[in-house]
Amino acid sequence: MEQKNLILLICTVLSFFTVFAVNAVTIVIPSIATEFGMSNIIQNWVTIIFLLVVAVLSVPAGQISGKYGLKKVTIISIVLFIIISIANVLVTSQEQFLLCRLILGISLSFINVTSMAMIVNAFPPEERGKALGINITGVYVGLSLSPVIGGILNYNLGWRSVVLFGVPFLFAILALLLTRINEEWSSFENMPLDIKGSFAYGIGIVLFMYGFTILNTQMGIVLTVLGLIILVVFGLIELKQEYPVFDIRFFKNHKFLSANFASLCAYLATYAVTTILNYHLQYIKGFDSQTAGMILLVAPLCQVVLAPIAGRLSDKFVPQILAAIGMALGTVSLFLFSSLDAATPMVFLIVSMIIYGIGFGLFSPPNTNVIMGSVPAKDTSVASAAVATMRTVGQAMSMGILTLVFAFVMGDVPIIAQYYPLLISSCQITCIICVVLCIASVFASFVGIKSKS
């Protein structure tokens, strides 16, 4: 197999398992919550803590992987992933479980950045959209199969089998990287690491995102504001650095800016949907994890079909138009989800999920192509870090919105039958908020069409 195609295969499989590590565990959270006695707020933190770590490390991961080599950093990250996955099945408390999720996030934050950057380096510009579309298909296959595989494994073997599922496949990927990939990519090898900028970004984003999840308290308001102030300081530090961990000047490029903003709003609007639908199916409708996983297959299957098509189309047509159409369909689907309750027919839910899947499948590859194609080739690891950061910050804050609404409407309680009406109201309110964010993503995509640079 040609080197570039083997790299695409490796990175696509890695994309699958980074998604699986998050979404397969999401489907089994009710089982984990039962074993460890988790409240509704802690259940959401199983996902949030993972995404928070990825959001914090995605920015420095771009500079670190560019300095020490994309392949080398990927290998180290896979080894850490395997070790922590094995450790995760031995935990005996919710604190230990959350700690493992935190460390797993460290591993996947680097894999998210290096896999996309390797593809961009391996393929010429005229083939990049197609390659990215195939890679993102790996993400959508992960989104499709993770609830199904996770649900089946959990139903028959327990949640620990879900955590271990990826380990043998990652051993195979590790072997391919060590024996078949000869090339290494190091664009920043002679540049010093921006420790000051990385530290400021990490502290700022942690305070802001944690504060956001408890914004219903006085402490939450203080931490959110403090986090924003530190992030502004981070921006000022980066403007003065000769070798910044993230070059703020990239945002002077209007294509880069608008596509990243569209991505942030899209993930803010859509990521909590899987959790909302999972809660609806398992708690409100009373399905087991296996059945819920099969139903949740609908939307990602649409994304799997559309992602490679959208990637190819983005090489031929204006990618921002495709992205805007996709998020317009996402807006419609979220409006439909906002009416879900105990009496909602399954046909209505499935049709809404199909619209959602088509919309997001049409949005992501073209939007990613815009971001990756708007920077010089030497800066692909930084652009990849921006893509990963927008995605994970958006995902974490999407779960933060859901958690915040839970706190206001339900309080910190177990999800049991007496609180189901409040659970339904919380999910409906969250979907309405997400409709507004989808509209913002559509607007950002249209703004990007007019940008010449």
Side-chain angles (χ1 to χ4, degrees), residues 147-226:
V148 178
I149 295 172
I152 292 172
L153 288 173
N154 180 61
Y155 185 77
N156 293 283
L157 300 173
W159 65 263
R160 288 173 173 82
S161 63
V162 177
V163 174
L164 289 176
F165 176 74
V167 170
F169 296 94
L170 290 172
F171 271 119
I173 292 297
L174 196 59
L176 285 174
L177 281 169
L178 290 169
T179 61
R180 298 289 302 279
I181 303 301
N182 302 317
E183 195 168 355
E184 178 61 282
W185 302 270
S186 303
S187 53
F188 304 146
E189 63 267 29
N190 297 319
M191 299 180 186
L193 293 176
D194 179 12
I195 304 297
K196 187 189 299 183
S198 298
F199 184 75
Y201 170 77
I203 295 295
I205 201 71
V206 166
L207 291 178
F208 170 72
M209 293 178 67
Y210 176 67
F212 184 81
T213 64
I214 56 169
L215 202 58
N216 58 313
T217 67
Q218 189 174 19
M219 178 61 72
I221 296 171
V222 171
L223 291 179
T224 302
V225 172
L226 183 59

Side-chain angles (χ1 to χ4, degrees), residues 93-114:
S93 69
Q94 64 181 23
E95 291 81 12
Q96 293 172 4
F97 185 88
L98 291 174
L99 177 61
C100 284
R101 296 293 287 172
L102 185 151
I103 300 173
L104 193 66
I106 296 173
S107 165
L108 296 194
S109 63
F110 284 93
I111 293 174
N112 281 339
V113 170
T114 58

Side-chain angles (χ1 to χ4, degrees), residues 40-63:
N40 59 340
I41 303 297
I42 297 298
Q43 285 186 53
N44 286 348
W45 268 96
V46 170
T47 302
I48 292 172
I49 195 168
F50 176 89
L51 294 171
L52 182 59
V53 174
V54 176
V56 167
L57 290 178
S58 289
V59 165
Q63 190 178 56

Side-chain angles (χ1 to χ4, degrees), residues 370-430:
V370 172
I371 296 172
M372 299 304 291
S374 63
V375 301
K378 68 181 180 64
D379 293 314
T380 51
S381 64
V382 176
S384 183
V387 172
T389 301
M390 292 302 114
R391 179 174 66 244
T392 51
V393 169
Q395 289 172 337
M397 289 188 66
S398 184
M399 288 300 298
I401 291 170
L402 180 61
T403 303
L404 191 59
V405 173
F406 274 8
F408 274 112
V409 177
M410 298 177 68
D412 189 2
V413 297
I415 302 180
I416 55 178
Q418 72 182 85
Y419 297 116
Y420 284 178
L422 293 177
L423 175 64
I424 291 170
S425 298
S426 298
C427 293
Q428 290 174 339
I429 292 168
T430 303

Side-chain angles (χ1 to χ4, degrees), residues 194-390:
D194 179 12
I195 304 297
K196 187 189 299 183
S198 298
F199 184 75
Y201 170 77
I203 295 295
I205 201 71
V206 166
L207 291 178
F208 170 72
M209 293 178 67
Y210 176 67
F212 184 81
T213 64
I214 56 169
L215 202 58
N216 58 313
T217 67
Q218 189 174 19
M219 178 61 72
I221 296 171
V222 171
L223 291 179
T224 302
V225 172
L226 183 59
L228 282 172
I229 292 171
I230 295 174
L231 287 173
V232 171
V233 172
F234 162 72
L236 296 174
I237 291 172
E238 295 304 276
L239 288 172
K240 296 178 181 178
Q241 290 279 25
E242 185 178 359
Y243 303 111
V245 66
F246 186 83
D247 196 341
I248 302 297
R249 296 175 187 85
F250 280 141
F251 287 108
K252 292 180 180 178
N253 180 324
H254 293 167
K255 284 184 182 292
F256 185 84
L257 173 62
S258 60
N260 271 292
F261 183 74
S263 179
L264 176 64
C265 290
Y267 283 106
L268 268 168
T270 60
Y271 187 75
V273 167
T274 300
T275 299
I276 288 171
L277 296 180
N278 183 41
Y279 286 173
H280 178 79
L281 292 169
Q282 292 201 50
Y283 289 120
I284 308 303
K285 291 296 188 182
F287 293 118
D288 58 52
S289 62
Q290 182 170 256
T291 306
M294 293 296 291
I295 296 169
L296 288 173
L297 180 64
V298 172
L301 266 182
C302 297
Q303 295 167 348
V304 168
V305 172
L306 274 172
I309 297 172
R312 287 194 295 270
L313 289 175
S314 72
D315 287 329
K316 299 177 181 179
F317 302 103
V318 179
Q320 293 95 332
I321 293 178
L322 297 172
I325 293 170
M327 286 318 298
L329 291 172
T331 304
V332 172
S333 67
L334 279 159
F335 182 76
L336 296 174
F337 288 144
S338 69
S339 65
L340 292 180
D341 58 27
T344 301
M346 286 304 299
V347 172
F348 179 90
L349 175 61
I350 290 171
V351 170
S352 302
M353 291 171 71
I354 291 172
I355 297 171
Y356 170 80
I358 292 172
F360 207 63
L362 198 56
F363 167 81
S364 192
N367 190 71
T368 302
N369 198 12
V370 172
I371 296 172
M372 299 304 291
S374 63
V375 301
K378 68 181 180 64
D379 293 314
T380 51
S381 64
V382 176
S384 183
V387 172
T389 301
M390 292 302 114

